Amino acid sequence: MAELSVFRCISCDINYNINEIRYRCDCGDLLEVIHDLSAVIPNPVEWKTSVESDYGDIPFRRYQKVLFPSLPHEHLITLQEGDTPLYDVSPHFSQFGALHLKHEGMNPTLSFKDRGMVAGVSWANYLGCEIVACASTGDTSAAMAAFAGVAPNMRGIVLLPKGKISPEQLAQPIASGALTIGIETDFDGCMRMVQELTQKHKIYLLNSMNSVRIEGQKAIGIETLHQLKWQVPNWFVIPVGNAGNISALGKGMRELYDLGIIDKLPRLAGIQTEGASPLYESFKSGYSPLTPQQAKTTKASAIQIGNPVSFKKAVRELKHFDGVIETVSETQLMDCKARIDRLGISICPNSAVAVAGAMKLRDADVIQEKDEVVVILTAHGSKFSNTAVEYHQDSSNKFANQTQTIAPDIKELESVLKL
Ligand code: F0G
């Protein structure tokens, strides 16, 4: 089955065997996985019928023919990820033709990273890798540790920027049994170290620089389109950090289009914070080459990244999908988080970046009045509880819901409740 897929360099088009452990081309550029999809799916109508009858199965298996046909089923490591809700919040946001929120925070480790790890850790299992590693702003590490923790004979090593991830995110890899190492640097520094480590030693890299992970993440867009009965919205809006997820979203939809499963392409909008916006800077100047930044502290700590590894892939998808990049401020993102949380949809600040970006693009009429929009929410609010507590404690915030502390006295309670 492995002959259905190859690694191909995104710049010089050289192919490499998919069974090699390799993350870059000899020229130094990134690789992507190319499958012989028309051999696997000769008839798109039959494929659509087959995914309907596979509805009871996990999404990775249901969509596997378009995700990663080369992975033998017996090597699959799954935590029952996917089948996340797609909320229609249009009644609350009448400025849009329609607004849907795809909540990837409703995955087993509470972020979209599980979608990539089912592919990445299963492939590591197939290759017989006993040690896997990643650098992370907190969600990749949680997912990798959880999947590696249930794989036979596999140990996870996670490198985290010390003091820059939430307590909940830190708890996850520890609880899953991974070797958890805080490094006194930022994410970009951890990323440099994990690349060197995995080059020197027999340790398998599971950041999204490993293009196998991207194949799993394609499921987010594909499942969304399936939920929309294959009716393609005008826009997908997504937060951007290391730029793997926007690359996966684009690749998956390109492949569906090429197979004739969908008949139009959406536009893509990638959203960053004002203090960590290398892709935005490039976009503004007509996609100039990446100038790495020293990313500034943001409540959206998972996307505090100044040197995105998948920059080139993201630019390619943005061009293909007539995309745009926007930035949002800390106030805009936290106000948006509060609004969405109030709808019973608990989101993280990184997801809120995308929602705030959609609002900003609608205000500027880039997203138009009649447009149907899907925003990808990337993690659950419970992973970042400190940001909500801080926001609501400060009465100067637009949607603050301050808590009060009183003595254990009924009169005092009645007085606070104005009874
Ligand atoms: N949202 C969340 C919650 C994330 O954790 C990340 C990335 C992103 C958005 C951005 O996705 O990097 O593919 O552009 N988190 C990585 C990590 C960097 O280590 O968990 P991207």
Side-chain angles (χ1 to χ4, degrees), residues 111-113 135-141 169 187 207-208 213 217 239-246 302-303 305 348 350-351 378-379 384:
S111 91
F112 75 96
K113 302 290 182 180
S136 183
T137 54
D139 291 327
T140 300
S141 42
Q169 287 176 313
F187 170 78
N207 279 94
S208 58
R213 272 217 16 228
Q217 283 175 211
V240 176
N242 217 13
N245 211 20
I246 192 170
I303 55 171
I305 296 175
C348 72
N350 317 284
S351 309
T378 46
F384 298 82

Side-chain angles (χ1 to χ4, degrees), residues 158-313:
V158 306
L159 307 190
L160 302 172
K162 189 157 171 47
K164 294 189 174 67
I165 67 168
S166 74
E168 295 93 341
Q169 287 176 313
L170 176 61
Q172 288 183 293
I174 299 172
S176 297
L179 185 55
T180 304
I181 302 170
I183 302 186
E184 280 161 347
T185 178
D186 56 9
F187 170 78
D188 298 302
C190 292
M191 195 63 225
R192 276 192 299 276
M193 286 190 66
V194 80
Q195 288 187 59
E196 202 178 325
L197 179 77
T198 51
Q199 251 154 34
K200 278 186 158 166
H201 303 278
K202 245 183 111 192
I203 299 176
Y204 191 58
L205 175 73
L206 274 174
N207 279 94
S208 58
M209 204 188 117
N210 180 336
S211 45
V212 168
R213 272 217 16 228
I214 299 285
E215 296 312 289
Q217 283 175 211
K218 294 188 309 193
I220 301 168
I222 294 170
E223 187 179 287
T224 305
L225 292 173
H226 191 184
Q227 285 167 311
L228 293 172
K229 304 194 170 19
W230 308 110
Q231 297 302 306
V232 180
N234 301 93
W235 290 91
F236 271 85
V237 185
I238 185 165
V240 176
N242 217 13
N245 211 20
I246 192 170
S247 309
L249 183 63
K251 184 174 191 281
M253 291 195 295
R254 241 183 327 114
E255 290 170 343
L256 289 191
Y257 183 81
D258 291 346
L259 283 166
I261 291 166
I262 53 172
D263 58 4
K264 77 170 204 196
L265 292 179
R267 293 183 70 187
L268 285 187
I271 318 294
Q272 304 201 288
T273 62
E274 287 175 349
S277 56
L279 199 56
Y280 173 71
E281 293 305 326
S282 159
F283 168 72
K284 266 199 324 193
S285 50
Y287 293 117
S288 54
L290 173 66
T291 309
Q293 296 177 353
Q294 183 70 47
K296 296 206 182 68
T297 305
T298 164
K299 297 268 188 248
S301 55
I303 55 171
Q304 188 182 324
I305 296 175
N307 190 11
V309 166
S310 294
F311 171 82
K312 279 195 186 170
K313 284 187 182 176

